[in-house]
Amino acid sequence: MFFDDLEKMCYQKQINDFAKNFNCTVGENFKIEAEHVKIGKGCHIGNNVKIKCYRFEVGDNFRVADNVEIDVSGGMTKQSNFIAGDNCLLCKDVYVNCCREVILGNHVCLSPRAMVFTHRYWQDVRKGYDNAFKSVIFGNDSWLGAGAVVLPGCEIGQGSIIMANSTVIGNVSERCVYGGVPAVKLKDIRDRDNFVQAEYDEYVRLREEFLGRKEDEKESLRRFGII
């Protein structure tokens, strides 16, 4: 029992030193194994988080919820990197495979139970089965829905949304909503400024149409001598 307690104390000291050195908060049972680590200001790592990669580099205000796992299944190389910009969020139970590089831009969210894979290999390629070892990139302001899966080699365009439980097998255009298995483009995301202008233009059109009808009504009333 004494040695168990001593081991826990040593482990907790390592975690406390890690949090102090990188100016972040860290939950219980956190484990990290990486050759290079760089963490921005104001970051938080939850409970039961496991990280294993060659390079782990994240920007300011990076948030990791409980039970998140980043690993190198498929083999670790110098390309086994996890890199994220500022204000990113990995929600509860997210899984990221970093056999090859995974890059998140700024303000990217991976929702609960989302999964990202950078390798696809199991059956014997000599028997005609395919395999892939490719990076995955998320553009700024992109959002991966709950339970969604991204397969090797995909690039998620800036500002795009992947709906829950979808499977992405190819590149995703910027500012679009994708969904389904496999995920397909469902609609574009309109620019807010253009949206406001379009709404205003429609309002002006309807107002002029309404005022035109009112003028027609007045002319009719004048014609019959009512006004």
Side-chain angles (χ1 to χ4, degrees):
M1 184 67 177
F2 171 77
F3 290 105
D4 289 342
D5 291 341
L6 182 61
E7 183 179 359
K8 289 179 181 178
M9 289 173 61
C10 292
Y11 171 75
Q12 191 58 50
K13 184 179 184 305
Q14 291 177 342
I15 294 303
N16 291 340
D17 290 343
F18 178 91
K20 183 178 180 181
N21 290 338
F22 290 102
N23 191 29
C24 64
T25 57
V26 177
E28 297 180 356
N29 198 28
F30 165 62
K31 297 179 180 179
I32 183 169
E33 182 180 340
E35 290 291 326
H36 303 278
V37 177
K38 182 179 180 181
I39 298 178
K41 298 178 181 178
C43 294
H44 171 76
I45 298 174
N47 301 316
N48 304 312
V49 173
K50 298 178 181 179
I51 298 172
K52 184 176 182 179
C53 56
Y54 182 77
R55 179 185 298 274
F56 181 76
E57 184 174 330
V58 299
D60 295 341
N61 301 313
F62 182 73
R63 294 286 188 270
V64 182
D66 296 345
N67 305 321
V68 168
E69 183 173 2
I70 299 173
D71 79 355
V72 289
S73 296
M76 182 183 298
T77 70
K78 290 186 177 181
Q79 301 175 51
S80 303
N81 304 321
F82 180 88
I83 301 173
D86 297 335
N87 303 308
C88 291
L89 171 63
L90 306 187
C91 296
K92 187 176 180 181
D93 297 319
V94 161
Y95 172 77
V96 179
N97 169 248
C98 277
C99 176
R100 294 294 184 268
E101 196 165 63
V102 175
I103 300 176
L104 278 59
N106 296 321
H107 199 249
V108 174
C109 175
L110 308 187
S111 296
R113 304 182 309 283
M115 294 187 286
V116 179
F117 293 93
T118 57
H119 87 285
R120 181 178 69 250
Y121 173 73
W122 182 247
Q123 293 100 331
D124 192 337
V125 295
R126 295 171 298 179
K127 296 180 180 179
Y129 291 103
D130 190 21
N131 72 88
F133 292 81
K134 296 180 180 180
S135 300
V136 172
I137 301 173
F138 290 83
N140 295 338
D141 298 309
S142 56
W143 180 14
L144 184 62
V149 178
V150 177
L151 296 183
C154 295
E155 183 170 350
I156 311 302
Q158 178 174 328
S160 285
I161 299 171
I162 309 302
M163 295 183 65
N165 299 315
S166 300
T167 299
V168 181
I169 64 173
N171 291 341
V172 170
S173 305
E174 293 186 356
R175 296 188 61 80
C176 294
V177 177
Y178 275 65
V181 181
V184 296
K185 182 178 176 180
L186 301 177
K187 66 175 184 178
D188 293 313
I189 299 173
R190 298 172 64 182
D191 183 79
R192 182 62 186 170
D193 291 339
N194 293 337
F195 175 78
V196 171
Q197 184 62 48
E199 290 292 300
Y200 178 75
D201 291 343
E202 180 65 8
Y203 161 74
V204 171
R205 185 188 69 78
L206 292 174
R207 182 174 181 274
E208 290 176 348
E209 182 180 315
F210 172 76
L211 293 176
R213 287 202 304 267
K214 296 296 287 184
E215 287 299 321
D216 291 341
E217 290 175 4
K218 288 182 179 180
E219 183 60 31
S220 298
L221 293 173
R222 290 193 191 96
R223 188 178 306 117
F224 289 101
I226 297 175
I227 60 173

